[in-house]
Amino acid sequence: MNNKKIISIFEETEALLRGHFRLTSGRHSDTYFQCAKVLQYPNHCEYICSFLSDYFKDFDIGTVIAPAIGGIVVAQEVGRQLNKRNIWAEREDKTLTLRRGFSIKPGEKCLVCEDVVTTGGSVFEVMDIVRQNEGVIVGVAYIVDRSNGKVNFGVPLKSAVSLDVISYDPNDCPLCKDNIPVIKPGSRKV
């Protein structure tokens, strides 16, 4: 039932796009989830993130952390609902890093949040940051799982909606072969 309601919210806010898209992972797809268009509405943000915070409410969490930019609003809302500090990593010279005075203490228990997962690249980068700072990853939470559970982070995870949305290697993309122009609507240039 979650999937239907959440997909209807994406459609209502014109956040579920159809066409030819270059994803942050570099892969191509005919479906794009523009979470920012949903998360701009506090009621939708609260509702969708409640599935994530409810799942992790009994976990021992000190900090909620996300990759910028898509995961920031998710981490903020999940952190608010769990009453936990939230921070983010941002790109500096194409590498995610902690800036703005953010830090993780050794042993600090962190929940990683993201908006959309296709291959999990940004989440894995944030997990590396937590581990490099000797923090502990207690789980991963994200709104849209485009892989339908195929990405394994090795920790407990929860998505608000899970779908098997096809993506293509750009060298083998049928949309490219049909000469359909590709667009990159997200925040990160690839």
Side-chain angles (χ1 to χ4, degrees), residues 33 60 80-81 135 139 173:
F33 293 88
D60 183 10
R80 185 192 71 77
Q81 291 183 22
C173 175

Side-chain angles (χ1 to χ4, degrees), residues 116-179:
V116 179
V117 166
T118 301
T119 63
S122 296
V123 171
F124 283 117
E125 285 183 77
V126 170
M127 292 173 78
D128 286 344
I129 290 169
V130 172
R131 290 183 181 119
Q132 288 164 6
N133 285 276
E134 299 178 29
V136 177
I137 301 149
V138 298
V140 177
Y142 40 101
I143 293 176
V144 178
D145 178 4
R146 289 177 52 99
S147 79
N148 202 24
K150 292 180 186 126
V151 177
N152 182 358
F153 295 109
V155 295
L157 59 90
K158 177 66 176 170
S159 64
V161 64
S162 185
L163 304 162
D164 195 7
V165 180
I166 297 171
S167 66
Y168 307 98
D169 180 292
N171 298 317
D172 194 32
C173 175
L175 304 166
C176 288
K177 289 176 183 163
D178 288 343
N179 293 316

Side-chain angles (χ1 to χ4, degrees), residues 66-154:
I69 196 162
I72 292 175
V73 176
V74 179
Q76 168 66 36
E77 181 59 24
V78 170
R80 185 192 71 77
Q81 291 183 22
L82 295 174
N83 196 29
K84 302 297 178 186
R85 172 177 89 118
N86 69 84
I87 61 175
W88 63 86
E90 57 192 294
R91 295 213 178 270
E92 185 173 67
D93 299 324
K94 298 186 180 184
T95 302
L96 278 176
T97 186
L98 292 178
R99 298 183 55 210
R100 303 173 192 275
F102 292 146
S103 64
I104 297 170
K105 295 182 177 101
E108 189 168 353
K109 295 183 172 114
C110 297
L111 173 64
V112 179
C113 285
E114 178 62 300
D115 58 351
V116 179
V117 166
T118 301
T119 63
S122 296
V123 171
F124 283 117
E125 285 183 77
V126 170
M127 292 173 78
D128 286 344
I129 290 169
V130 172
R131 290 183 181 119
Q132 288 164 6
N133 285 276
E134 299 178 29
V136 177
I137 301 149
V138 298
V140 177
Y142 40 101
I143 293 176
V144 178
D145 178 4
R146 289 177 52 99
S147 79
N148 202 24
K150 292 180 186 126
V151 177
N152 182 358
F153 295 109

Side-chain angles (χ1 to χ4, degrees), residues 27-100:
R27 297 182 63 81
H28 290 198
S29 181
D30 67 352
T31 305
Y32 192 86
F33 293 88
Q34 184 58 276
C35 286
K37 291 188 80 172
V38 172
L39 299 175
Q40 68 181 323
Y41 298 103
N43 59 325
H44 294 325
C45 183
E46 180 178 25
Y47 173 74
I48 293 170
C49 289
S50 71
F51 293 101
L52 310 177
S53 60
D54 285 351
Y55 181 84
F56 285 103
K57 70 180 180 223
D58 295 326
F59 283 63
D60 183 10
I61 298 167
T63 297
V64 180
I65 182 171
I69 196 162
I72 292 175
V73 176
V74 179
Q76 168 66 36
E77 181 59 24
V78 170
R80 185 192 71 77
Q81 291 183 22
L82 295 174
N83 196 29
K84 302 297 178 186
R85 172 177 89 118
N86 69 84
I87 61 175
W88 63 86
E90 57 192 294
R91 295 213 178 270
E92 185 173 67
D93 299 324
K94 298 186 180 184
T95 302
L96 278 176
T97 186
L98 292 178
R99 298 183 55 210
R100 303 173 192 275

